[in-house]
Amino acid sequence: MYQKNILDNGIRVVSEEVPFANSIALGVWVRTGSRNEDETNQGVSHFLEHLLFKGTTRRTARQIAEELEAVGGIINAFTTKEYTCFYTRVLAEHLDLAIDVLSDMLFNSLLAVEDIEKEKKVILEEIKMYEDSPDELVHDLFAQTIWPGHPLGRAILGTYETVTNLNRDIIYRYYQEQYNSANIVLAAAGKFNTAELVAKLQATFGLKTCPGKQGEYLPPKSRPRVSINIKDTEQVQICLGVPGLPQDDAAIYALQALNNILGGGLSSRLFQIIREEQALAYSVYSYHAGFSDSGLFTVYAGTSPDNYLQVIALILEEIASLKNKGVTAQELKRTKDQIRGNLLLAQENVNHRMSRLGKTELTFGRVITAEEVIERLNEVTEDDVQAIARRIFQPEYLSLTTLGPEVEPLDLAECARRAGI
């Protein structure tokens, strides 16, 4: 069972004791990401994540890395569109060190000008590396296609130009505004005593005043269209999809089941037909990215230019089948069992437990347990899956992005109607 406490400065703590574990996973979750940026500071969330590792008033960058690694621990971070997370995992006996390092990074980072200029070079190389990975880049291009001009349509890393133009004033102002008590959740899972953990967190994280401000999100307005992007590659990278659901939509569990059946694994319809039966692609899958007020459902495939139209036709045919024929009782049972198994297996890892605590508290204001997810998923019926397919898969909602050799343009809505969508 998890517990929730609030420190004196308003920072929330969600924790779960796992007596059989030998380690502790501790994460600092901040409700700020690329969605909080504008055209002038794009990439600042990710840049700030890097900078908090570059030295504090008490530690150099090398000491931050070495102190935890010296005791067999790990420390890392990541930035998404709506949140940033800094996390550690250490043996239970090194909890004090993990708390001290994370709180030092969060509150005492220098954000030095020389570190900013040096880290720009690193992040610009990261952008180049990303642009050299077309199977990853196409997903950003797809979000940009369907949500042009909106923060959710922008790349988390920023652009070469916006990162180059970032300076300490911009970064420090963003830090002061976004890293505030209302935006911060501390999550912990592993071997500890909750009362002792909260007391330690109060003595470090709880003593700082973090006023800042909470910004309001403007929902994106989708603009379905086809975007053909030319790049000198052997394969055509394809993203085809529609606007999805917000994370708190009542139909989110039906959509989770639909996604798993359509393209969520090796036994999914798309994988079996496009890869196993037709041998048209090595990689093909679907996913749903949910945000606080919107979502994006995407099917991805990488194929040769000669197979491009056939792959799109097969994807549309399977989507049409879900809309018009639904799913079988056997398919739905199998996907429920698969998702349940994945969730329960993940519970054996304290990192996964910590992540679920932090992310759901930050997103929903409450913890959503694996048991609750399984219970809600078990309530999904075949009719529910078909209903969500009919709701989101409309010809006028579809968008397509390709990246690679030039391909034949198409009328996507017309292709969808011919497929029976």
Side-chain angles (χ1 to χ4, degrees):
M1 294 294 293
Y2 73 91
Q3 293 191 41
K4 179 175 176 178
N5 293 273
I6 300 178
L7 304 183
D8 290 349
N9 59 0
I11 290 177
R12 289 165 284 169
V13 177
V14 283
S15 58
E16 181 179 16
E17 295 182 24
V18 186
F20 60 79
N22 292 312
S23 63
I24 296 171
L26 176 66
V28 179
W29 295 76
V30 189
R31 187 180 176 270
T32 189
S34 59
R35 188 171 184 180
N36 299 78
E37 303 164 359
D38 56 37
E39 294 88 346
T40 66
N41 65 0
Q42 186 185 348
V44 67
S45 302
H46 173 255
F47 204 121
L48 183 55
E49 173 217 311
H50 277 232
L51 283 180
L52 294 196
F53 285 85
K54 296 306 166 188
T56 72
T57 54
R58 296 170 47 210
R59 290 178 172 89
T60 64
R62 178 182 288 273
Q63 287 173 323
I64 290 173
E66 287 182 345
E67 287 188 18
L68 286 169
E69 288 191 354
V71 296
I74 61 168
I75 182 167
N76 212 332
F78 59 89
T79 303
T80 73
K81 302 217 175 199
E82 291 191 334
Y83 57 86
T84 305
C85 177
F86 303 85
Y87 64 94
T88 68
R89 185 178 180 186
V90 295
L91 292 175
E93 63 200 76
H94 301 302
L95 173 61
D96 288 353
L97 176 62
I99 292 174
D100 189 51
V101 171
L102 278 178
S103 61
D104 191 26
M105 289 170 57
L106 193 71
F107 297 124
N108 303 320
S109 284
L110 297 173
L111 308 181
V113 172
E114 57 268 30
D115 290 330
I116 291 171
E117 294 307 310
K118 187 184 298 182
E119 202 60 23
K120 276 185 186 180
K121 298 177 183 178
V122 173
I123 294 175
L124 292 176
E125 290 299 324
E126 187 177 359
I127 292 173
K128 292 175 185 176
M129 181 179 69
Y130 193 68
E131 291 177 344
D132 282 342
S133 304
D135 56 327
E136 296 182 18
L137 179 60
V138 69
H139 299 277
D140 273 352
L141 295 177
F142 183 60
Q144 181 181 319
T145 296
I146 205 165
W147 290 323
H150 191 274
L152 284 176
R154 301 191 194 116
I156 293 170
L157 299 181
T159 68
Y160 204 88
E161 181 181 5
T162 60
V163 169
T164 301
N165 290 334
L166 291 175
N167 58 45
R168 191 182 192 279
D169 288 343
I170 293 172
I171 295 169
Y172 187 63
R173 181 166 61 250
Y174 186 85
Y175 167 77
Q176 286 186 307
E177 291 176 351
Q178 301 297 330
Y179 280 60
N180 61 74
S181 298
N183 278 351
I184 297 173
V185 169
L186 304 178
K191 189 174 185 178
F192 54 78
N193 174 276
T194 299
E196 293 177 0
L197 171 71
V198 173
K200 293 175 187 291
L201 294 175
Q202 174 58 44
T204 48
F205 288 91
L207 297 182
K208 298 289 184 178
T209 303
C210 316
K213 67 175 185 180
Q214 274 199 295
E216 294 296 324
Y217 290 149
L218 293 175
K221 294 181 180 179
S222 59
R223 198 179 92 186
R225 59 195 179 106
V226 174
S227 173
I228 307 297
N229 301 272
I230 310 302
K231 192 176 180 68
D232 185 16
T233 60
E234 295 295 322
Q235 279 193 320
V236 178
Q237 309 297 322
I238 300 167
C239 277
L240 187 157
V242 293
L245 304 181
Q247 292 170 322
D248 61 352
D249 193 288
I252 198 71
Y253 295 97
L255 183 57
Q256 186 177 1
L258 179 150
N259 172 65
N260 209 53
I261 292 168
L262 179 63
L266 303 186
S267 61
S268 68
R269 291 185 179 189
L270 290 176
F271 190 91
Q272 287 298 312
I273 291 169
I274 292 176
R275 173 167 165 166
E276 297 301 288
E277 294 180 16
Q278 300 292 330
L280 295 173
Y282 173 77
S283 181
V284 55
Y285 56 85
S286 66
Y287 64 92
H288 179 257
F291 304 104
S292 56
D293 55 8
S294 54
L296 190 58
F297 188 94
T298 306
V299 176
Y300 163 83
T303 190
S304 68
D306 293 341
N307 297 330
Y308 155 72
L309 292 176
Q310 187 180 356
V311 168
I312 288 177
L314 288 170
I315 293 170
L316 293 174
E317 286 171 13
E318 284 309 310
I319 289 174
S321 177
L322 284 171
K323 276 190 68 176
N324 302 327
K325 299 177 183 178
V327 300
T328 67
Q330 183 181 9
E331 274 184 310
L332 185 56
K333 181 182 184 304
R334 185 171 64 241
T335 205
K336 287 180 178 180
D337 289 344
Q338 182 183 348
I339 295 171
R340 174 180 177 274
N342 289 338
L343 285 169
L344 293 180
L345 287 173
Q347 289 293 91
E348 297 182 2
N349 186 310
V350 292
N351 270 345
H352 283 281
R353 286 178 180 261
M354 180 275 291
S355 293
R356 173 170 292 280
L357 293 171
K359 183 178 177 181
T360 57
E361 174 63 33
L362 196 68
T363 303
F364 303 102
R366 70 181 186 91
V367 170
I368 298 178
T369 64
E371 290 75 18
E372 180 180 345
V373 173
I374 292 168
E375 182 180 348
R376 296 288 299 278
L377 193 65
N378 282 336
E379 295 171 354
V380 173
T381 66
E382 294 104 293
D383 288 343
D384 294 332
V385 176
Q386 188 171 18
I388 190 59
R390 288 174 172 171
R391 174 178 163 187
I392 69 171
F393 292 132
Q394 301 294 332
E396 62 272 21
Y397 296 167
L398 286 166
S399 285
L400 170 70
T401 296
T402 70
L403 177 63
E406 188 170 1
V407 291
E408 181 181 341
L410 51 78
D411 183 335
L412 186 59
E414 179 58 30
C415 290
R417 291 188 185 95
R418 286 203 303 266
I421 296 179

